[in-house]
Amino acid sequence: MKQVILSVVLAFTLQANAQDEAIVNELAPVCANLDSLHTLEAWKAKSDELSALKEKYPDSWMTIYYYAYASIQLSYFETSLGLKDAFVNNAEDQLAKLEEKCPLKDEVFIMKAMVANARIGADPENRWQKYGKIFEDNLKAAKGVNENNPHIYLLKGIATFYTPKMFGGGAKNAKTYFEKAQSKYDLITYTNVDKPYWWGRSTCGYFFGEIEKELGK
């Protein structure tokens, strides 16, 4: 009886591993250029691709994760508050299932922080007080799980860059966080979709350029 149970468990494990491999193979080319998308149209096309994969593999944390990520990026490129919130709602709707399925708990907190930050980005004046704490709490939680996650410092750097100097923001204060993020990116030598720590590397480089412009004025 014990041997039968072990055989069944092994069969399910092999089946799950085979499906994960199939998902990775399909996701990899779709996600390969995420860091090079800089227009609303490009992100809409990417979101459609990721939505189709999420529908095909609805129980995969990877398809859920990247679809939520694309939804957040779309919110930053939209100009209408209603559309911004609609895209953030799409991302937020994925959080419960992501939290249940994703083995990378630090990235669950990162996604929660990104949702909060996107809420602020849509309407900073009226939302920073509520969502700023949610953003900070989730970055702190992510750091407690994995302090080498570059997204912690990247997101903090971006938030600091756009915060007024009178409240502790600005280019000079943001630079430290981007330097920390870069040091963590330097530890990463892969672009595996099941280890999504790689995205954001070029964003970090972009902000170094923006900081140089600001500090050079």
Side-chain angles (χ1 to χ4, degrees):
M1 184 65 174
K2 184 178 180 181
Q3 188 170 355
V4 172
I5 293 173
L6 288 174
S7 296
V8 171
V9 170
L10 179 60
F12 276 115
T13 301
L14 291 173
Q15 184 178 12
N17 289 342
Q19 185 178 61
D20 282 348
E21 185 177 353
I23 294 167
V24 166
N25 288 339
E26 290 193 56
L27 261 179
V30 174
C31 295
N33 68 335
L34 288 184
D35 268 3
S36 64
L37 304 179
H38 305 298
T39 66
L40 177 64
E41 292 72 22
W43 274 111
K44 280 183 175 178
K46 188 61 62 178
S47 179
D48 288 344
E49 288 184 274
L50 290 166
S51 178
L53 284 175
K54 188 176 75 73
E55 291 300 314
K56 184 175 181 180
Y57 301 108
D59 292 321
S60 167
W61 73 266
M62 289 178 280
T63 60
I64 295 167
Y65 175 93
Y66 286 105
Y67 174 70
Y69 177 75
S71 294
I72 289 169
Q73 298 306 313
L74 275 169
S75 77
Y76 290 126
F77 285 91
E78 278 290 358
T79 55
S80 158
L81 176 59
L83 289 175
K84 282 177 177 289
D85 276 341
F87 284 124
V88 184
N89 289 343
N90 285 344
E92 193 166 42
D93 288 345
Q94 312 307 312
L95 289 179
K97 201 161 191 178
L98 184 66
E99 191 162 18
E100 175 191 348
K101 300 285 185 179
C102 183
L104 307 174
K105 299 308 176 187
D106 52 327
E107 280 300 298
V108 174
F109 290 124
I110 289 296
M111 193 60 67
K112 289 181 177 181
M114 290 181 70
V115 166
N117 196 48
R119 293 290 188 203
I120 297 171
D123 188 5
E125 186 176 347
N126 294 310
R127 296 181 178 179
W128 69 268
Q129 201 162 18
K130 174 182 178 180
Y131 290 102
K133 184 178 187 309
I134 297 172
F135 174 76
E136 294 289 347
D137 287 349
N138 278 288
L139 289 189
K140 183 178 179 180
K143 189 174 183 180
V145 176
N146 177 15
E147 65 177 11
N148 287 320
N149 188 326
H151 299 150
I152 298 165
Y153 314 102
L154 176 69
L155 296 181
K156 181 63 176 176
I158 295 171
T160 303
F161 184 87
Y162 289 115
T163 297
K165 291 179 183 179
M166 68 180 72
F167 298 119
K172 185 177 180 180
N173 290 330
K175 186 177 181 181
T176 301
Y177 294 109
F178 288 116
E179 288 173 341
K180 185 77 168 180
Q182 187 60 60
S183 72
K184 300 304 181 182
Y185 280 120
D186 288 344
L187 301 175
I188 298 172
T189 58
Y190 53 80
T191 56
N192 305 33
V193 291
D194 58 341
K195 296 177 182 178
Y197 301 110
W198 49 268
W199 62 255
R201 189 190 297 268
S202 68
T203 303
C204 194
Y206 166 80
F207 276 99
F208 278 127
E210 293 300 295
I211 287 169
E212 285 184 16
K213 292 178 189 175
E214 287 292 319
L215 298 182
K217 290 179 180 178

